[in-house]
Amino acid sequence: MSLIFKEELTSEQLEYLFHSDEKCYEFLAEVKWKNGFVCRKCGNTNYCPGKKPWSRRCTKCKTEESAASGTIFHNSKFPIHKAFYIAYNVCKVKEEVSTYEFARRLSLRQMTCWNFKTKIRQALQEMDSLSDNERESIKKILQ
Ligand SMILES: [Zn+2]
């Protein structure tokens, strides 16, 4: 998941992402299909645009895949740009931000922020089960 934030983002990029759902989906799509589109169901590599912003639809089996599926942002119950803000802060910013503080900054319920922060932490922990190589590259990412 932190692979998403592999590269340092400029403050300009962050400004965009933290205020626009559309930009977040665009960003996810860029990261996700960096090496090209492969349909999860049938393996086809041809696609056309889907209905949701930046989603892609397989031209063969017509399965639509959203840019957020397979990431912690999938099925988020609050706007994705707010989820991006929390995720980026948890992954990249050294200073610990409390869930009360997230709630205040983003006008969300504290419980919502707590749940999402927990989800991020779990995702980070799951990386322990990765191979040495994968872990090594992720360590670099998190530094
Ligand atoms: Zn397909």
Side-chain angles (χ1 to χ4, degrees):
M1 185 274 312
S2 65
L3 284 166
I4 288 167
F5 299 122
K6 186 160 60 179
E7 279 123 47
E8 287 291 340
L9 301 172
T10 66
S11 52
E12 219 174 34
Q13 279 174 309
L14 292 175
E15 189 67 20
Y16 270 130
L17 290 173
F18 295 162
H19 291 95
S20 157
D21 281 353
E22 173 106 20
K23 282 281 168 201
C24 290
Y25 285 115
E26 180 185 355
F27 181 80
L28 286 177
E30 265 171 28
V31 174
K32 181 175 193 166
W33 292 305
K34 206 183 198 166
N35 300 317
F37 172 83
V38 180
C39 174
R40 283 187 171 185
K41 261 207 174 133
C42 73
N44 180 28
T45 51
N46 290 318
Y47 67 92
C48 56
K51 284 185 192 133
K52 291 182 203 157
W54 299 94
S55 68
R56 295 184 178 185
R57 180 192 286 266
C58 170
T59 52
K60 210 174 188 179
C61 72
K62 312 288 182 208
T63 299
E64 179 164 332
E65 188 173 333
S66 95
S69 74
T71 75
I72 50 158
F73 303 106
H74 191 47
N75 287 337
S76 174
K77 290 181 184 68
F78 54 98
I80 191 171
H81 69 272
K82 294 186 180 182
F84 255 68
Y85 182 84
I86 296 176
Y88 191 80
N89 274 273
V90 172
C91 293
K92 289 297 241 186
V93 182
K94 296 263 154 55
E95 163 211 357
E96 174 94 16
V97 181
S98 75
T99 52
Y100 290 97
E101 182 59 19
F102 279 131
R104 194 188 61 78
R105 290 185 195 170
L106 299 169
S107 311
L108 291 170
R109 286 170 50 217
Q110 185 266 334
M111 205 54 202
T112 305
C113 296
W114 189 85
N115 284 334
F116 188 66
K117 197 176 170 184
T118 304
K119 204 170 159 187
I120 297 166
R121 290 237 182 273
Q122 277 168 356
L124 291 172
Q125 269 172 15
E126 275 167 25
M127 285 177 193
D128 285 347
S129 59
L130 298 173
S131 75
D132 284 350
N133 270 348
E134 285 169 319
R135 217 181 0 249
E136 198 50 45
S137 59
I138 283 158
K139 233 197 301 178
K140 278 182 206 142
I141 293 156
L142 292 173
Q143 275 163 2

